[in-house]
Amino acid sequence: MKQLTISLIYLFCLLSLQAANTPLPDLNSLKKGDWFELECTQINQHKDFGKDGNPWSVEGKKQVFYKITVSDKQGDLLQLSCKIDRLLNIFEYKNDYILYDTNFPMSPKQSTANYFINKDSLIIKIDLNKKEITEENYQFEKESLNFECEFIKKGFLKYGLPTRSTSEIEINTKELYEKSVITYINNWLKYGDTRVKTRSSQVLYYDNWREWDEMRITNASYTLMHNVNVICHINNATDSTIINFKTSDDQKIKPISQDGNKFRFAFFMPNPQSCWIYLNNKSIALSLTPNDSLIIDIDESSFPEKTKFSGLGSAACQCTYELREDYWQNYYFKWADKSMIDLAKIFEQRQKKYEAVFSKYKNQMSRFWRESKQKDLHYRVATELFIAVNIMMKWNEFEGNLGELQKHLESKHLCKITPMIDYLYSSGHYHTFLEEYIKYQQLSISSNNFSTNILNFGYEEKLLLTKMIFRGYPKYYCSQRIIAEYLQEKPLTEAQKEYDWFRYHCHAPKFNAQLKNIYDRMEKIQADQSIKDLNISIAPYLNLKEKADGYILLNMNNAMISYEWEEKEIRKQDSIFTTLGFEKKAEIVVVRRNFIKEKWANKPKNYSENVKIYFHEKDSLIKDTEILKTGVNRYMLLRNDGTILHNNINTGAGSFSSSDFYDVLLEDLNKPEANNQADTRRLGFAILFTLLFSGLIAWGFIKIRSRQIKKKEESFRRLAELELKVIRSQMNPHFLFNALSSIQHLINKNKIEKANIYLSRFADMMRLVLNNSAKELISLADELKLIQNYLELEKLRVPFEFNLIVDSQLNPEEDELPGMLIQPFVENAVVHGIAPKRNGHIDIRFTKNKHYLKCEVVDDGIGINQSSTQNSGNGKAIKMIQERVNIVNSQSDHPFSVQLIDRSEEEDCSGTTVLIKIPI
């Protein structure tokens, strides 16, 4: 009977999954602003791939991901805007993997290629009535892009840190769009939804598609068909039972229906993912694949114990469940007194247990989860081993020589994993392994430090070590975690450089969105921001005033901690205020959840009246705690008008003292705005002083002002002279002779058309230089035209390539900069960098932030150090530019800056980088 019931439920899952599917919409139903993401996959090695095969192969495939938006719709005319989101290529070659993934660039060259990908787009105009594409408008800065493929050795540590080995491939972006997006849209118009397969998602299959094995929509603004169905049968369920799903891409899913103790979930999943099911604040992990129809039998009273799975996809979930986490902290002290050989034996026994469970289910799992679980076995054991080593190294009970343990790791586990590739699998222990390996490297460096003190790794040092050890996904994953912690623990100004680096180089939307979310939240609670603007529910407890006359030390905490510990911490903070003599000007506000109010009611209160304790509703407290980032040992110091002074007064053991507190308060007291109650006698003295010496002050002011005016006029004269010198240096006879000779050469060769083009450019450049010389500021568009004309002329005599890159935030017609500022550096790159090599490449990049317009001139010439002995006219021009900048800076609150960097000092290549920051 039970078996029949399960069969009926399983049949219901399959039928309801099909019933929930919504067909691929007709293009007529799309409206302006709608979007969808298209994934095109080509399997290089056709293992298990076919009509009913495995589409989730990780190794041996090429993928292109597009974002397609309805940019306009008028009647039967539809306009689509298409952009490439990501390129992914991975396949095996002998003992290597070959990889490129534009989400996680491994070199500056890959970042540059990504820039052009983000700029390029395709506009498609469609006549819906005729069902045909009427126009294809390709908007490319470069039609072909070069990408570096990384050769990655299989295994980890077997070969030590991997050496850098790359190969370059060229991709024709126009051809790529034609063979994917255009083909997909044409077939969509031709066949509609009649050829849609429901195996994984909205996939169109056609016999004549030879370029792509699969093309499918993976995300959209409209509702996608449900391709995963889960029924949770909860025994002993009550009215207060709360059950939810969460996917690995942070999608939170609630039941779509409930029938007694049966809760049904149906949702769309683009690819295999680890998911979590939450029941009354407890959870278990699931391993789901598109098209799974799963039944979960749960006993609420013992959850997560006694959970059982059946239906399509149950094998991977049951395996995940039986291998669920043994909490590592339970083993810390058990491992501490073991030798390395003993540990190796212990973990080998644990590995056998894992392998026994895996063997029981592996033949019933899809290939993706089978490979993922195999990887996870090795990552699990390797992670546990590194945890054990890290514990002993931290306690100074490990001599730093892995010995037998290293042999065990390399021969059985590390040779089976490749972290730079394995992020494509949903391995449960992969990320923990990366974190523990970084800790191991930090502890190794500390233990080998020649000083007697352990080397203290700050956030910048951790980030530098991560960049040295890892590339690709592991580098960006670990860097993101370090920078996220940096943003939350330190002022944003300290972490800004690292944050900007990550945002520029990492192109993974999820990573960037998570980091930007943290940055935006922390920006609201920086020093001098007001807590009144944060709309927090505990604001009434603070009794904020219009004008500050004291301080508040605020702590909110939703954790369940013993009263004795809490009371000890409160007394500690109270005593610091008393010691510093601030007890009459400060109060400590402590907010806890309502649940513990009765437990605290009859406890002794060994602290002063300055301590105010309030109890608050749980959900609101959790929300406020997330906004203000307060916690167990983390307090916020603010004036009692709501102005934040410090958002992270950390009171943990050894991390905080009364002197630290005093420094923060003293700094605030010395600010003019903090002295709100001036003494009457001091005010009277100030008035008397003003009356007696007003004449003297007025005379001094006039004298100083006249000197300033005189100095300013002198500076303007010097600026005018320098500008004329720069003009003369730019128009030096050597350059004029070379340019005109090159044009004459074209005429002599009877290349009249080409000579006319370059002669016209030469005339344009002359006109621009003369016109701009009379202006203090010129438009960015004029400067770009001047630079482009100059470089095109120089290419007549020196072979090289160049790129002009302008950030989308800039408006070249409206944004302005001083004339004659950039060209001398560009000329220097050609004459002193590229010309000696007779070939090369120059990138000129313009970007913009709140306060500055930035220009980078990057060449791969001989480098500034090698060319330092040369001293041509343009070198003088740059010295004049520097002098001009110094004069302007002496009169400005937002200074210019010019920085010259020899690339060989920071990169594995020659050349020079010039970084110019121009205040807006």
Side-chain angles (χ1 to χ4, degrees), residues 14-74:
L14 290 174
L15 292 174
S16 49
L17 178 62
Q18 297 298 324
N21 289 342
T22 56
L24 191 67
D26 188 273
L27 281 168
N28 287 285
S29 66
L30 296 178
K31 58 185 182 298
K32 185 176 180 179
D34 281 346
W35 57 266
F36 57 92
E37 294 176 1
L38 178 66
E39 176 193 284
C40 303
T41 303
Q42 180 188 85
I43 306 297
N44 299 328
Q45 300 161 2
H46 292 259
K47 296 178 181 178
D48 297 347
F49 189 88
K51 187 176 180 181
D52 300 312
N54 170 38
W56 314 119
S57 173
V58 169
E59 300 166 11
K61 68 178 180 182
K62 295 179 182 178
Q63 285 186 304
V64 187
F65 302 82
Y66 298 92
K67 178 76 172 285
I68 302 175
T69 306
V70 180
S71 53
D72 194 18
K73 186 177 183 182
Q74 296 181 7

Side-chain angles (χ1 to χ4, degrees), residues 8-234:
L8 289 172
I9 293 174
Y10 178 52
L11 180 61
F12 170 73
C13 285
L14 290 174
L15 292 174
S16 49
L17 178 62
Q18 297 298 324
N21 289 342
T22 56
L24 191 67
D26 188 273
L27 281 168
N28 287 285
S29 66
L30 296 178
K31 58 185 182 298
K32 185 176 180 179
D34 281 346
W35 57 266
F36 57 92
E37 294 176 1
L38 178 66
E39 176 193 284
C40 303
T41 303
Q42 180 188 85
I43 306 297
N44 299 328
Q45 300 161 2
H46 292 259
K47 296 178 181 178
D48 297 347
F49 189 88
K51 187 176 180 181
D52 300 312
N54 170 38
W56 314 119
S57 173
V58 169
E59 300 166 11
K61 68 178 180 182
K62 295 179 182 178
Q63 285 186 304
V64 187
F65 302 82
Y66 298 92
K67 178 76 172 285
I68 302 175
T69 306
V70 180
S71 53
D72 194 18
K73 186 177 183 182
Q74 296 181 7
D76 290 332
L77 300 178
L78 181 71
Q79 180 172 292
L80 302 178
S81 176
C82 315
K83 294 178 77 71
I84 296 177
D85 257 4
R86 181 186 184 188
L87 295 173
L88 173 64
N89 189 357
I90 173 174
F91 55 93
E92 293 183 60
Y93 178 73
K94 297 182 180 178
N95 291 322
D96 295 342
Y97 289 111
I98 299 178
L99 168 73
Y100 72 82
D101 185 345
T102 56
N103 269 4
F104 308 103
M106 300 192 190
S107 68
K109 192 167 186 178
Q110 286 188 1
S111 296
T112 302
N114 286 356
Y115 170 83
F116 286 107
I117 282 181
N118 295 332
K119 283 286 186 183
D120 295 345
S121 65
L122 165 63
I123 304 297
I124 303 174
K125 294 184 179 180
I126 302 170
D127 188 325
L128 296 173
N129 188 36
K130 296 180 180 178
K131 291 189 175 182
E132 65 180 25
I133 295 175
T134 59
E135 185 179 339
E136 301 168 18
N137 182 12
Y138 294 91
Q139 300 177 349
F140 297 153
E141 291 197 19
K142 294 182 72 175
E143 192 166 311
S144 293
L145 297 176
N146 293 326
F147 290 88
E148 280 187 347
C149 288
E150 196 86 5
F151 285 81
I152 301 164
K153 293 287 185 185
K154 292 183 180 179
F156 187 71
L157 286 187
K158 183 176 181 181
Y159 303 95
L161 289 176
T163 56
R164 181 167 176 75
S165 177
T166 62
S167 175
E168 197 168 275
I169 63 167
E170 182 178 351
I171 294 179
N172 186 303
T173 46
K174 181 179 179 181
E175 185 178 348
L176 197 63
Y177 275 108
E178 287 175 347
K179 292 183 178 180
S180 52
V181 176
I182 298 298
T183 304
Y184 190 86
I185 298 298
N186 276 327
N187 281 283
W188 195 349
L189 288 166
K190 185 176 181 181
Y191 298 109
D193 65 347
T194 59
R195 305 292 291 276
V196 176
K197 302 291 183 182
T198 60
R199 175 171 58 84
S200 57
S201 63
Q202 299 178 30
V203 184
L204 299 174
Y205 289 96
Y206 302 95
D207 295 337
N208 61 338
W209 281 8
R210 296 179 181 177
E211 295 297 328
W212 302 101
D213 294 292
E214 182 177 73
M215 304 176 79
R216 62 198 188 97
I217 293 175
T218 58
N219 197 8
S221 58
Y222 53 84
T223 303
L224 293 174
M225 67 176 71
H226 299 154
N227 60 357
V228 174
N229 198 86
V230 179
I231 288 184
C232 294
H233 185 277
I234 303 179

Side-chain angles (χ1 to χ4, degrees), residues 438-683:
I438 286 291
K439 288 179 187 176
Y440 165 73
Q441 291 291 346
Q442 291 174 16
L443 290 167
S444 297
I445 293 173
S446 296
S447 64
N448 292 327
N449 189 21
F450 287 107
S451 66
T452 55
N453 297 322
I454 293 179
L455 184 63
N456 183 24
F457 272 82
Y459 293 109
E460 293 181 2
E461 290 81 7
K462 290 179 182 177
L463 197 59
L464 179 60
L465 181 63
T466 299
K467 292 177 184 179
M468 291 171 60
I469 293 173
F470 289 135
R471 296 200 304 276
Y473 180 93
K475 178 176 79 172
Y476 292 107
Y477 170 78
C478 294
S479 296
Q480 192 231 34
R481 291 180 63 85
I482 294 168
I483 296 170
E485 189 177 346
Y486 200 173
L487 291 171
Q488 295 177 85
E489 295 297 322
K490 299 291 183 180
L492 290 186
T493 51
E494 291 187 25
Q496 186 69 47
K497 180 181 176 182
E498 285 70 25
Y499 173 76
D500 291 341
W501 167 84
F502 188 90
R503 295 273 293 167
Y504 178 79
H505 288 283
C506 181
H507 296 268
K510 181 179 177 181
F511 280 14
N512 274 308
Q514 289 172 342
L515 207 58
K516 188 177 186 303
N517 182 44
I518 293 171
Y519 184 92
D520 291 344
R521 285 191 283 111
M522 295 306 299
E523 194 173 31
K524 296 176 183 177
I525 59 170
Q526 294 300 295
D528 296 328
Q529 298 296 318
S530 177
I531 202 171
K532 294 177 181 178
D533 301 331
L534 300 179
N535 192 28
I536 55 175
S537 62
I538 57 104
Y541 302 147
L542 303 178
N543 298 317
L544 299 176
K545 301 181 179 182
E546 288 298 319
K547 205 169 188 179
D549 60 2
Y551 298 94
I552 298 172
L553 188 63
L554 172 64
N555 178 262
M556 299 184 301
N557 182 13
N558 190 53
M560 300 296 292
I561 302 172
S562 69
Y563 175 80
E564 289 72 19
W565 189 91
E566 291 265 28
E567 195 258 353
K568 180 182 176 182
E569 283 297 305
I570 292 170
R571 281 192 290 110
K572 178 182 174 183
Q573 314 319 318
D574 192 23
S575 65
I576 291 177
F577 272 128
T578 304
T579 302
L580 297 176
F582 280 89
E583 65 272 12
K584 294 182 180 180
K585 296 184 64 177
E587 65 179 16
I588 300 172
V589 177
V590 178
V591 186
R592 297 291 181 266
R593 53 192 287 193
N594 279 328
F595 181 78
I596 63 173
K597 185 175 182 179
E598 292 183 5
K599 296 184 178 181
W600 284 31
N602 299 319
K603 298 289 185 179
K605 299 175 178 58
N606 301 316
Y607 39 79
S608 71
E609 295 179 355
N610 294 326
V611 178
K612 312 293 183 185
I613 298 180
Y614 301 97
F615 299 93
H616 201 60
E617 191 268 326
K618 176 186 172 183
D619 291 340
S620 298
L621 184 60
I622 292 173
K623 181 181 176 183
D624 289 354
T625 302
E626 185 61 27
I627 293 173
L628 298 181
K629 304 304 292 184
T630 60
V632 176
N633 287 323
R634 183 167 177 152
Y635 285 65
M636 175 176 282
L637 180 64
L638 54 152
R639 298 188 200 129
N640 58 6
D641 67 348
T643 303
I644 298 170
L645 297 179
H646 203 295
N647 63 27
N648 185 15
I649 301 291
N650 196 310
T651 63
S655 63
F656 185 73
S657 66
S658 58
S659 61
D660 299 324
F661 211 159
Y662 181 77
D663 289 342
V664 176
L665 292 173
L666 186 63
E667 182 182 352
D668 183 64
L669 288 169
N670 287 331
K671 290 182 180 178
E673 62 268 23
N675 301 317
N676 295 316
Q677 296 182 340
D679 187 86
T680 305
R681 286 176 298 177
R682 289 171 57 198
L683 181 60

Side-chain angles (χ1 to χ4, degrees), residues 819-835:
M820 315 300 175
L821 188 64
I822 308 299
Q823 190 273 343
F825 295 104
V826 176
E827 184 172 344
N828 220 40
V830 176
V831 175
H832 298 294
I834 300 299

Side-chain angles (χ1 to χ4, degrees), residues 727-741 762 827 873:
I727 294 166
R728 287 195 293 271
S729 71
Q730 288 175 324
M731 302 296 296
N732 66 71
H734 181 67
F735 165 71
L736 292 173
F737 175 78
N738 285 338
L740 292 173
S741 295
F762 181 74
E827 184 172 344

